[in-house]
Amino acid sequence: MTGETPDRAADPTPPAGGGAVDERDAAITTLLGIRSSIDNIDAALIHLLAERFKFTQQVGRLKAEHGLPPSDPDREKRQIERLRSLAEDAHLDPAFAEKWFNFVVAEVIRHHEEIADGSGSDRT
């Protein structure tokens, strides 16, 4: 959980009636449950990214061993097309999916360059 708790003292206006208090309490309970789900998804995303970077480290070492370039623009283009399509199917903004992918690829390429010049770490 995020550790967030409702701060009733911040709202100086008392509720109009008993029903309003019950509805507000129910809304806060629902909000905390939703946030807990979001926190769990965030944790899963971090673990998935860590797994993804383990594989990209393997790719970086393989490329370095065989003198291959750190980036592969043709693959990146195909991946962007594939991820944009997946995003559309999932009702996620394809532009957001592309931005996320470009951010990750920039980090992967940086790692590959570090591996190739011998300064890379196997952490991510």
Side-chain angles (χ1 to χ4, degrees):
M1 296 255 299
T2 62
E4 294 183 33
T5 57
D7 185 4
R8 290 196 178 96
D11 183 4
T13 309
V21 171
D22 292 341
E23 287 179 22
R24 183 175 180 187
D25 286 345
I28 290 169
T29 299
T30 300
L31 177 65
L32 293 175
I34 293 168
R35 286 181 174 166
S36 178
S37 295
I38 290 169
D39 292 348
N40 289 337
I41 292 167
D42 288 345
L45 287 170
I46 293 298
H47 288 281
L48 287 170
L49 282 170
E51 284 299 307
R52 187 187 196 289
F53 276 100
K54 287 177 188 175
F55 287 108
T56 62
Q57 287 294 328
Q58 291 177 20
V59 169
R61 286 189 296 274
L62 188 61
K63 285 180 173 184
E65 289 169 10
H66 297 280
L68 298 169
S71 68
D72 184 344
D74 290 335
R75 173 168 164 71
E76 292 162 25
K77 182 180 177 191
R78 289 190 309 272
Q79 282 293 88
I80 288 170
E81 291 170 4
R82 185 178 78 85
L83 293 174
R84 287 184 69 91
S85 177
L86 288 169
E88 287 177 15
D89 292 345
H91 306 288
L92 179 69
D93 180 1
F96 172 78
E98 184 173 346
K99 287 176 192 175
W100 169 84
F101 180 73
N102 287 331
F103 175 77
V104 170
V105 167
E107 187 70 5
V108 168
I109 291 170
R110 185 180 68 79
H111 293 166
H112 289 183
E113 291 169 343
E114 289 176 356
I115 291 169
D117 72 14
S119 68
S121 160
D122 282 344
R123 194 181 90 211
T124 56

